[in-house]
Amino acid sequence: MTLQDTQNSAGLSPDANWWRQAAVYQIYPRSFADANGDGLGDLPGITSKVPYLKELGIDAVWLSPFYPSALADGGYDVDNYRDVDPRLGTLEDFDRMAAALHAAGIRVIVDIVPNHSSDRHEWFKAALAAPKGSAERERYIFRDGLGQDGELPPADWESLFGGPGWTAVGDGQWYLHLFAKEQPDFNWSNEEVRADFRKTLRFWSDRGVDGFRVDVAHALTKDIPLTELPDKAQLDAHPWDGTHPIWDRDEVHEVYAEWREVFNEYEPPRIAVAEAWTNADRRPAYARATGLGQAFNFDLLQADFEAEAFKKIISFNLAQASAAGSSTTWVYSNHDVVRHATRYGLEATGDPDAAKTWLLQGADPARVDVELGLRRARAATLLELALPGSAYLYQGEELGLPEVTGIPDEQRQDPAFFRNKAVEVGRDGCRVPLPWETSGSSFGFGSGEAHLPQPKDFGRYAVAAQSGVEGSTLELYREALKLRRELQSDESLSWLATESGTLGFSRPNGWVSFTNFTAQAQQLPAGEVLLASGPLDAAGQLPAATTVWLRQR
């Protein structure tokens, strides 16, 4: 029996549209569960927690990179796209994990990182060993340096992680890396690169993978001249209209059309979701059925907890998805941003980077209303799960985890911190390993210490502390996800007339979501209460920062 046959016999629905309103749970493998006690999460650890994931009620997991990597960027520096990091397991461990998830009715989505490889990738090592103008160097973006002997970079471009975007190789040439210097950018004009990624898509699809999350999907194709490159000021001033030398070029969709042909070789077709940071009006192109099929919108992730902002964002993204023939996506937290239970506890400023600024300024705990942040996070999640489209949940948000602050410099791992100390603290605070038990050296994450330090009070958020406890954040997620499946209907909603600072909408089969964004109690609408994000007022009032689901007759 092939791995594909195993998937088909696992009881998964053959529905090709399963993803349109799925609840997808992102796992950062190195911080989820550690089976061998080495301090690093691994694939057997994920397999051991499949019963937990099944009880949670999700439809799919999305795995951040688990490939061989030096961890120059948390695994997004990939040495080999068709293998497993030996610290995390083996291909056989991956197969066992996928089979266990499929048997539990959970699909598997894996991260693919096509913009750049690791500098330890066999192709890049071959490029460094080969001369200028070689076929090996054509797989990446090499350019001659400026100056008499090429001792100066081809341009003054900067890496997104800080520092120069070009690194010299010692023979007068330099290679481009939009991120860390350990992440050289591929040349997507090279057919060998394109063919190899199609091979990778088939490799994982043949192992039963159901879909792919595409990292930096908007940056693959580039137009970088051999000489006289534009300077940074010219790059920054260039409009993002499909002709930018680096970002969101129109021809990137030729790549994804090729990928779609690969996806459609399988039954049901493989799915993909684009991480495409681009102008909102250009995002639907990534979500077309002839391309990746779905694209992240990060608008709610960047918004304050405010009714009008939420309504505007939701309406806009539902219209965009409809225009693309796709379904939209909703997300509040992931492996790159400050957890939303903390963000919502900070004073609203309208600045999407306010939480990062707070971290950089020392993360003063006095500025965070922890109770309010969690209450708002619970209300926002219940609203999210009532919306049509896919909900992407990040590991630990079901526990109400806050952003971890105060990590000593010597224990940090994010290259953004080391290369950009004066600009940001980095993303380690949302990647701290999960607490499963209320005590122990790593709160049940593993038998030893965790690879990132956990706070002393982490046990209060542990799965063991919340499981079966009425009103806990974990039980709220479990109940909401179960009810969501039962209530799910057509991908539409109708806005209700509500008071200022509140937001309500109905779904086609007679249920209503109503959120009080204000600081005062509001009148509870009529109807049978199905679920609420917090305790309701006995006098028929909906408390501040609370969402309720109602069935209306």
Side-chain angles (χ1 to χ4, degrees):
M1 178 180 288
T2 67
L3 287 166
Q4 182 64 31
D5 291 335
T6 301
Q7 182 195 29
N8 292 340
S9 66
L12 292 172
S13 166
D15 182 9
N17 293 316
W18 66 267
W19 52 276
R20 295 187 67 93
Q21 297 197 79
V24 183
Y25 184 89
Q26 181 190 358
I27 291 178
Y28 190 73
R30 291 169 172 81
S31 294
F32 187 68
D34 171 19
N36 63 7
D38 66 354
L40 202 62
D42 46 41
L43 300 188
I46 296 171
T47 304
S48 73
K49 300 300 183 183
V50 168
Y52 170 81
L53 296 169
K54 181 177 182 179
E55 186 176 5
L56 185 59
I58 56 170
D59 300 300
V61 297
W62 151 31
L63 301 171
S64 290
F66 49 84
Y67 313 110
S69 172
L71 302 184
D73 182 21
Y76 285 87
D77 47 314
V78 180
D79 298 349
N80 183 345
Y81 289 85
R82 298 188 285 273
D83 204 354
V84 174
D85 190 320
R87 292 168 293 184
L88 274 64
T90 63
L91 282 170
E92 290 72 24
D93 288 326
F94 180 90
D95 295 341
R96 282 189 284 270
M97 176 198 67
L101 287 165
H102 285 153
I106 299 171
R107 310 269 183 175
V108 179
I109 299 170
V110 301
D111 231 310
I112 189 165
V113 188
N115 179 69
H116 48 261
S117 74
S118 160
D119 61 353
R120 306 195 313 177
H121 191 286
E122 63 178 5
W123 277 6
F124 191 70
K125 290 190 289 186
L128 294 182
K132 292 193 294 184
S134 63
E136 289 82 359
R137 290 203 177 180
E138 281 299 308
R139 297 166 176 157
Y140 294 89
I141 299 175
F142 283 84
R143 293 292 183 269
D144 291 335
L146 302 178
Q148 183 174 352
D149 299 309
E151 69 274 12
L152 300 176
D156 62 345
W157 300 359
E158 294 181 358
S159 159
L160 294 179
F161 287 158
W166 294 89
T167 291
V169 297
D171 60 5
Q173 283 209 313
W174 300 62
Y175 67 88
L176 175 67
H177 51 92
L178 295 181
F179 296 89
K181 65 181 179 62
E182 296 87 354
Q183 295 170 290
D185 282 38
F186 280 117
N187 172 19
W188 275 86
S189 296
N190 186 301
E191 176 54 33
E192 194 174 2
V193 171
R194 295 193 181 204
D196 196 66
F197 270 90
R198 293 194 297 271
K199 181 178 180 180
T200 293
L201 295 174
R202 290 188 177 96
F203 177 87
W204 292 110
S205 295
D206 289 343
R207 301 193 91 87
V209 163
D210 302 280
F212 301 87
R213 179 264 189 185
V214 185
D215 186 63
V216 198
H218 59 299
L220 272 59
T221 56
K222 302 176 178 70
D223 182 19
I224 302 175
L226 295 176
T227 60
E228 299 182 7
L229 279 63
D231 61 25
K232 181 180 182 299
Q234 290 172 308
L235 283 184
D236 291 344
H238 200 293
W240 286 39
D241 59 357
T243 65
H244 193 284
I246 294 174
W247 304 114
D248 187 31
R249 294 183 59 78
D250 287 339
E251 58 261 35
V252 76
H253 301 294
E254 298 171 8
V255 174
Y256 299 136
E258 295 174 358
W259 288 19
R260 174 50 55 187
E261 292 179 2
V262 174
F263 299 153
N264 290 345
E265 294 172 3
Y266 296 86
E267 186 60 42
R270 298 308 185 241
I271 66 103
V273 57
E275 182 207 28
W277 291 92
T278 185
N279 296 333
D281 62 341
R282 292 186 57 81
R283 199 160 53 213
Y286 293 86
R288 293 184 301 224
T290 53
L292 294 177
Q294 195 174 53
F296 279 121
N297 86 73
F298 298 110
D299 300 343
L300 287 180
L301 181 151
Q302 297 178 302
D304 288 330
F305 187 79
E306 195 272 320
E308 285 305 311
F310 268 55
K311 184 175 183 178
K312 182 178 179 180
I313 288 168
I314 292 166
S315 297
F316 175 78
N317 282 287
L318 287 175
Q320 272 209 326
S322 177
S326 182
S327 69
T328 193
T329 59
W330 310 111
V331 56
Y332 295 121
S333 287
N334 61 34
H335 64 292
D336 283 334
V337 301
V338 175
R339 286 186 176 275
H340 65 288
T342 295
R343 290 203 315 272
Y344 289 151
L346 291 165
E347 180 182 1
T349 64
D351 178 4
D353 291 324
K356 289 176 63 176
T357 302
W358 168 74
L359 288 177
L360 184 64
Q361 293 172 344
D364 181 3
R367 290 178 53 191
V368 183
D369 187 330
V370 175
E371 181 182 346
L372 177 62
L374 180 57
R375 191 162 69 247
R376 286 175 167 174
R378 289 164 57 107
T381 292
L382 204 57
L383 183 155
E384 172 192 26
L385 293 177
L387 292 169
S390 297
Y392 281 79
L393 313 172
Y394 181 50
Q395 65 176 43
E397 70 170 79
E398 78 277 15
L399 305 177
L401 289 187
E403 184 79 0
V404 175
T405 60
I407 299 174
D409 289 0
E410 63 273 14
Q411 292 184 271
R412 290 192 173 275
Q413 300 173 7
D414 189 354
F417 167 73
F418 296 104
R419 293 171 171 83
N420 238 353
K421 283 190 177 182
V423 178
E424 61 177 284
V425 169
R427 301 160 293 179
D428 294 317
C430 64
R431 301 177 179 185
V432 172
L434 298 190
W436 294 92
E437 303 293 339
T438 57
S439 61
S441 59
S442 61
F443 298 100
F445 169 69
S447 58
E449 299 289 336
H451 69 98
L452 282 168
Q454 300 160 302
K456 292 181 180 179
D457 67 344
F458 231 29
R460 62 187 279 212
Y461 298 100
V463 173
Q466 298 193 46
S467 188
V469 176
E470 184 177 358
S472 71
T473 302
L474 175 58
E475 290 302 329
L476 173 67
Y477 270 72
R478 286 172 172 171
E479 191 170 357
L481 287 165
K482 179 177 182 294
L483 194 55
R484 181 178 187 267
R485 284 189 176 185
E486 297 172 2
L487 296 171
Q488 215 160 58
S489 55
D490 293 342
E491 294 175 43
S492 63
L493 60 74
S494 297
W495 292 110
L496 305 177
T498 62
E499 297 294 327
S500 176
T502 64
L503 201 61
F505 56 86
S506 64
R507 295 295 303 275
N509 60 355
W511 64 292
V512 166
S513 174
F514 187 85
T515 303
N516 178 8
F517 286 84
T518 75
Q520 295 80 37
Q522 302 288 330
Q523 182 63 42
L524 185 67
E528 174 194 356
V529 174
L530 301 175
L531 185 62
S533 64
L536 298 180
D537 192 314
Q541 297 285 301
L542 183 64
T546 303
T547 295
V548 63
W549 291 356
L550 302 162
R551 191 188 305 277
Q552 294 189 325
R553 296 178 176 83

